[in-house]
Amino acid sequence: KAGVTQTPRYLIKTRGQQVTLSCSPISGHRSVSWYQQTPGQGLQFLFEYFSETQRNKGNFPGRFSGRQFSNSRSEMNVSTLELGDSALYLCASSLRSDDIQYFGAGTRLSVL
Amino acid sequence: AQSVTQLDSHVSVSEGTPVLLRCNYSSSYSPSLFWYVQHPNKGLQLLLKYTSAATLVKGINGFEAEFKKSETSFHLTKPSAHMSDAAEYFCVVTGESASGGSYIPTFGRGTSLIVHP
């Protein structure tokens, strides 16, 4: 069974630009969660989607948004990028919200 | 509100000696507890999960954790460290949100395990 796939693995953007990250969950998993990982703040929950609906949202500004498609694939969008958005963005899928999460390798975003 | 505190940011051990990574949590609800491991430039991998079926949980690679409700702790142990255990370890609590019906995970800040030959 294929694992969680995140694309691209690396991104370099400049301030003010916007970016879209993609996540393909494990087949059959309907819950997809996104996290931001930085040395200063650690791992922080961004949001969770389940069956195309956002079920939970972390404490991030509205510049961070996401969506989930009918095949459970998910995208995360960050608009008007700031230097502080530089981070490793991790996606995780699971069968249910409270179940084991399977993580992708992440997308490393650098904002210059 | 729920929270997780990993008591040590770094733990250094010699190969072949025991490992103890400490985690305390607080939750208003009956939580699920997890330990994940992250090797450099990789995503997180589940080590073990507490499901309330047993207080001593066995995970992969010889790790285990004991749930102690009275101490609100979920410490991770391994009898004998291996060089390949060097990684970042995260304790996670998942509890029902205040509005009910949804689960939000809270991650500890992580403990970096250093294993000396």
Side-chain angles (χ1 to χ4, degrees):
Chain A
K1 196 182 241 187
V4 178
T5 304
Q6 290 187 247
T7 56
R9 287 296 310 278
Y10 302 92
L11 265 178
I12 299 175
K13 293 284 187 179
T14 55
R15 279 184 301 172
Q17 288 187 309
Q18 67 97 28
V19 67
T20 299
L21 312 181
S22 180
C23 173
S24 294
I26 290 173
S27 178
H29 286 191
R30 295 164 66 189
S31 171
V32 175
S33 298
W34 288 89
Y35 298 87
Q36 182 195 65
Q37 186 176 26
T38 60
Q41 299 298 319
L43 259 161
Q44 294 185 284
F45 173 77
L46 278 156
F47 30 65
E48 181 214 357
Y49 285 87
F50 187 92
S51 295
E52 302 179 65
T53 301
Q54 187 181 87
R55 293 225 294 202
N56 291 301
K57 190 176 192 306
N59 190 25
F60 278 82
R63 300 185 297 109
F64 291 81
S65 63
R67 59 178 176 169
Q68 186 179 33
F69 301 96
S70 58
N71 61 358
S72 292
R73 189 178 71 85
S74 178
E75 288 182 346
M76 191 192 93
N77 185 275
V78 187
S79 62
T80 320
L81 284 166
E82 301 177 359
L83 294 178
D85 297 334
S86 294
L88 179 67
Y89 289 88
L90 292 166
C91 166
S93 76
S94 60
L95 284 170
R96 304 185 311 270
S97 296
D98 63 333
D99 205 353
I100 298 167
Q101 293 192 309
Y102 296 85
F103 284 80
T107 294
R108 186 165 295 282
L109 172 64
S110 297
V111 182
L112 306 178
Chain B
Q2 62 192 23
S3 66
V4 178
T5 302
Q6 291 184 242
L7 297 163
D8 306 291
S9 59
H10 296 84
V11 169
S12 183
V13 301
S14 297
E15 191 174 21
T17 64
V19 175
L20 170 63
L21 305 183
R22 298 181 295 166
C23 172
N24 287 108
Y25 72 93
S26 72
S27 177
S28 303
Y29 310 95
S30 296
S32 293
L33 294 159
F34 306 79
W35 276 98
Y36 286 86
V37 60
Q38 185 179 30
H39 290 276
N41 300 314
K42 297 283 181 66
L44 279 70
Q45 179 187 15
L46 178 76
L47 280 175
L48 48 81
K49 173 186 176 183
Y50 168 70
T51 60
S52 77
T55 57
L56 185 62
V57 183
K58 293 190 183 298
I60 63 171
N61 301 334
F63 284 95
E64 60 182 36
E66 186 172 9
F67 174 71
K68 292 186 176 180
K69 187 174 182 179
S70 61
E71 299 176 11
T72 60
S73 69
F74 190 56
H75 300 335
L76 181 70
T77 61
K78 182 174 180 177
S80 176
H82 192 273
M83 293 296 291
S84 61
D85 294 328
E88 191 84 10
Y89 291 79
F90 294 93
C91 181
V92 183
V93 60
T94 300
E96 193 171 343
S97 68
S99 58
S102 60
Y103 295 82
I104 297 176
T106 301
F107 283 72
R109 291 302 300 270
T111 298
S112 178
L113 177 63
I114 301 160
V115 182
H116 299 285

